[in-house]
Short mmCIF file of all heavy atoms in Angstrom, two decimals:
data_model
loop_
_atom_site.label_atom_id
_atom_site.label_comp_id
_atom_site.label_asym_id
_atom_site.label_seq_id
_atom_site.Cartn_x
_atom_site.Cartn_y
_atom_site.Cartn_z
N TYR A 1 105.58 105.51 108.57
CA TYR A 1 104.76 105.20 109.75
C TYR A 1 103.74 104.15 109.37
O TYR A 1 103.46 103.21 110.12
CB TYR A 1 104.09 106.49 110.22
CG TYR A 1 103.40 106.33 111.52
CD1 TYR A 1 104.07 106.08 112.70
CD2 TYR A 1 102.02 106.55 111.62
CE1 TYR A 1 103.43 106.00 113.94
CE2 TYR A 1 101.35 106.49 112.83
CZ TYR A 1 102.07 106.20 113.98
OH TYR A 1 101.43 106.11 115.21
N ARG A 2 103.10 104.31 108.20
CA ARG A 2 102.16 103.32 107.73
C ARG A 2 102.78 101.94 107.69
O ARG A 2 102.24 100.95 108.15
CB ARG A 2 101.66 103.71 106.32
CG ARG A 2 100.79 102.67 105.64
CD ARG A 2 100.86 102.76 104.16
NE ARG A 2 102.21 102.58 103.68
CZ ARG A 2 102.65 102.92 102.49
NH1 ARG A 2 101.82 103.47 101.61
NH2 ARG A 2 103.93 102.73 102.13
N ASP A 3 104.01 101.84 107.16
CA ASP A 3 104.70 100.58 107.04
C ASP A 3 105.05 100.02 108.41
O ASP A 3 104.87 98.80 108.69
CB ASP A 3 105.97 100.69 106.23
CG ASP A 3 105.66 101.09 104.76
OD1 ASP A 3 104.50 100.91 104.32
OD2 ASP A 3 106.57 101.54 104.07
N PHE A 4 105.51 100.86 109.32
CA PHE A 4 105.82 100.43 110.70
C PHE A 4 104.57 99.87 111.40
O PHE A 4 104.63 98.84 112.05
CB PHE A 4 106.35 101.61 111.48
CG PHE A 4 106.32 101.48 112.99
CD1 PHE A 4 106.93 100.46 113.68
CD2 PHE A 4 105.61 102.41 113.74
CE1 PHE A 4 106.89 100.32 115.03
CE2 PHE A 4 105.56 102.30 115.11
CZ PHE A 4 106.19 101.25 115.77
N MET A 5 103.42 100.53 111.18
CA MET A 5 102.20 100.09 111.79
C MET A 5 101.59 98.84 111.11
O MET A 5 100.69 98.19 111.65
CB MET A 5 101.16 101.19 111.80
CG MET A 5 101.55 102.39 112.68
SD MET A 5 101.80 101.96 114.41
CE MET A 5 100.19 101.30 114.84
N GLY A 6 102.09 98.48 109.92
CA GLY A 6 101.55 97.33 109.20
C GLY A 6 100.22 97.60 108.54
O GLY A 6 99.52 96.63 108.24
N TRP A 7 99.91 98.86 108.30
CA TRP A 7 98.62 99.19 107.65
C TRP A 7 98.73 98.93 106.14
O TRP A 7 99.77 99.19 105.50
CB TRP A 7 98.29 100.67 107.89
CG TRP A 7 98.06 100.96 109.34
CD1 TRP A 7 97.62 100.16 110.32
CD2 TRP A 7 98.24 102.29 109.96
NE1 TRP A 7 97.49 100.83 111.48
CE2 TRP A 7 97.89 102.13 111.32
CE3 TRP A 7 98.70 103.53 109.49
CZ2 TRP A 7 97.97 103.19 112.22
CZ3 TRP A 7 98.77 104.55 110.38
CH2 TRP A 7 98.39 104.39 111.74
N THR A 8 97.68 98.37 105.57
CA THR A 8 97.67 98.03 104.16
C THR A 8 96.66 98.88 103.35
O THR A 8 96.53 98.67 102.16
CB THR A 8 97.29 96.57 103.99
OG1 THR A 8 96.01 96.33 104.59
CG2 THR A 8 98.34 95.67 104.67
N ILE A 9 96.02 99.82 103.98
CA ILE A 9 95.02 100.63 103.29
C ILE A 9 95.73 101.62 102.32
O ILE A 9 96.88 102.00 102.56
CB ILE A 9 94.17 101.44 104.27
CG1 ILE A 9 95.05 102.17 105.32
CG2 ILE A 9 93.17 100.54 104.98
CD1 ILE A 9 94.34 102.94 106.30
N PRO A 10 95.09 102.00 101.26
CA PRO A 10 95.66 103.03 100.38
C PRO A 10 96.02 104.31 101.16
O PRO A 10 95.26 104.80 101.96
CB PRO A 10 94.56 103.29 99.35
CG PRO A 10 93.78 102.00 99.32
CD PRO A 10 93.77 101.52 100.76
N TRP A 11 97.24 104.83 100.85
CA TRP A 11 97.78 105.91 101.69
C TRP A 11 98.30 107.02 100.76
O TRP A 11 99.05 106.77 99.84
CB TRP A 11 98.94 105.37 102.51
CG TRP A 11 99.49 106.31 103.54
CD1 TRP A 11 100.42 107.26 103.36
CD2 TRP A 11 99.11 106.32 104.90
NE1 TRP A 11 100.69 107.87 104.55
CE2 TRP A 11 99.87 107.34 105.51
CE3 TRP A 11 98.20 105.59 105.71
CZ2 TRP A 11 99.75 107.67 106.88
CZ3 TRP A 11 98.07 105.93 107.03
CH2 TRP A 11 98.84 106.94 107.63
N TYR A 12 97.89 108.23 101.10
CA TYR A 12 98.28 109.42 100.28
C TYR A 12 98.58 110.59 101.26
O TYR A 12 97.97 110.63 102.36
CB TYR A 12 97.21 109.84 99.30
CG TYR A 12 96.85 108.77 98.33
CD1 TYR A 12 95.80 107.85 98.63
CD2 TYR A 12 97.52 108.61 97.14
CE1 TYR A 12 95.49 106.84 97.76
CE2 TYR A 12 97.18 107.61 96.22
CZ TYR A 12 96.18 106.71 96.55
OH TYR A 12 95.84 105.67 95.70
N SER A 13 99.49 111.47 100.86
CA SER A 13 99.67 112.70 101.63
C SER A 13 98.98 113.81 100.89
O SER A 13 98.81 113.77 99.67
CB SER A 13 101.14 112.96 101.85
OG SER A 13 101.76 113.33 100.63
N VAL A 14 98.61 114.83 101.66
CA VAL A 14 97.93 116.01 101.07
C VAL A 14 98.98 117.14 100.96
O VAL A 14 99.38 117.68 102.01
CB VAL A 14 96.76 116.45 101.95
CG1 VAL A 14 96.02 117.61 101.34
CG2 VAL A 14 95.78 115.29 102.20
N PRO A 15 99.42 117.47 99.78
CA PRO A 15 100.34 118.59 99.63
C PRO A 15 99.71 119.91 100.06
O PRO A 15 98.48 120.06 100.02
CB PRO A 15 100.72 118.59 98.16
CG PRO A 15 99.56 117.95 97.50
CD PRO A 15 99.01 116.96 98.46
N GLN A 16 100.51 120.87 100.38
CA GLN A 16 100.01 122.14 100.88
C GLN A 16 99.04 122.81 99.90
O GLN A 16 98.07 123.41 100.27
CB GLN A 16 101.17 123.13 101.18
CG GLN A 16 100.77 124.30 102.00
CD GLN A 16 100.12 123.95 103.32
OE1 GLN A 16 100.62 123.11 104.04
NE2 GLN A 16 99.00 124.61 103.67
N GLU A 17 99.32 122.65 98.59
CA GLU A 17 98.48 123.29 97.59
C GLU A 17 97.04 122.69 97.56
O GLU A 17 96.13 123.35 97.03
CB GLU A 17 99.09 123.10 96.21
CG GLU A 17 99.15 121.64 95.74
CD GLU A 17 99.85 121.46 94.45
OE1 GLU A 17 99.24 121.78 93.38
OE2 GLU A 17 101.01 120.99 94.45
N SER A 18 96.86 121.50 98.17
CA SER A 18 95.57 120.87 98.14
C SER A 18 94.80 120.98 99.45
O SER A 18 93.65 120.60 99.54
CB SER A 18 95.75 119.39 97.78
OG SER A 18 96.35 119.22 96.51
N VAL A 19 95.48 121.48 100.49
CA VAL A 19 94.83 121.52 101.82
C VAL A 19 93.56 122.35 101.81
O VAL A 19 92.49 121.90 102.27
CB VAL A 19 95.82 122.05 102.89
CG1 VAL A 19 95.12 122.26 104.19
CG2 VAL A 19 96.96 121.02 103.12
N ASP A 20 93.64 123.53 101.27
CA ASP A 20 92.43 124.41 101.28
C ASP A 20 91.30 123.77 100.44
O ASP A 20 90.12 123.92 100.82
CB ASP A 20 92.79 125.77 100.72
CG ASP A 20 93.59 126.63 101.66
OD1 ASP A 20 93.69 126.26 102.84
OD2 ASP A 20 94.22 127.61 101.20
N ARG A 21 91.59 123.11 99.36
CA ARG A 21 90.57 122.55 98.51
C ARG A 21 89.85 121.38 99.18
O ARG A 21 88.64 121.15 98.98
CB ARG A 21 91.21 122.07 97.18
CG ARG A 21 91.57 123.21 96.27
CD ARG A 21 91.93 122.66 94.91
NE ARG A 21 93.37 122.85 94.64
CZ ARG A 21 93.98 122.44 93.53
NH1 ARG A 21 93.31 121.73 92.62
NH2 ARG A 21 95.25 122.66 93.35
N LEU A 22 90.59 120.61 99.99
CA LEU A 22 89.98 119.41 100.59
C LEU A 22 89.59 119.60 102.03
O LEU A 22 88.50 119.12 102.45
CB LEU A 22 91.03 118.26 100.47
CG LEU A 22 91.40 117.76 99.08
CD1 LEU A 22 92.44 116.69 99.15
CD2 LEU A 22 90.15 117.30 98.33
N VAL A 23 90.41 120.23 102.78
CA VAL A 23 90.11 120.44 104.19
C VAL A 23 89.18 121.60 104.43
O VAL A 23 88.28 121.56 105.29
CB VAL A 23 91.40 120.64 105.03
CG1 VAL A 23 91.08 120.84 106.50
CG2 VAL A 23 92.33 119.41 104.85
N ALA A 24 89.26 122.62 103.60
CA ALA A 24 88.27 123.70 103.53
C ALA A 24 87.90 124.31 104.86
O ALA A 24 86.76 124.22 105.31
CB ALA A 24 87.02 123.21 102.80
N ASN A 25 88.90 124.93 105.48
CA ASN A 25 88.69 125.63 106.75
C ASN A 25 88.29 124.74 107.91
O ASN A 25 87.70 125.15 108.89
CB ASN A 25 87.62 126.74 106.62
CG ASN A 25 88.08 127.83 105.67
OD1 ASN A 25 89.23 128.27 105.73
ND2 ASN A 25 87.22 128.24 104.76
N ARG A 26 88.55 123.42 107.79
CA ARG A 26 88.33 122.47 108.87
C ARG A 26 89.73 122.11 109.39
O ARG A 26 90.52 123.00 109.67
CB ARG A 26 87.53 121.27 108.41
CG ARG A 26 86.07 121.67 108.02
CD ARG A 26 85.34 120.60 107.25
NE ARG A 26 85.93 120.33 105.95
CZ ARG A 26 85.41 119.52 105.04
NH1 ARG A 26 84.26 118.85 105.29
NH2 ARG A 26 85.97 119.36 103.87
#
């Protein structure tokens, strides 16, 4: 999707094991 949109910003996905640590009930 990033490539289709032509976005050049650094792009990462958040694996399930990291969701609680980063999103933290948000």
Side-chain angles (χ1 to χ4, degrees):
Y1 189 64
R2 173 206 58 196
D3 295 343
F4 161 59
M5 294 301 300
W7 296 333
T8 59
I9 50 179
W11 190 274
Y12 302 90
S13 69
V14 183
Q16 193 58 46
E17 64 184 285
S18 300
V19 171
D20 286 345
R21 287 189 248 178
L22 296 177
V23 179
N25 296 316
R26 293 168 293 186

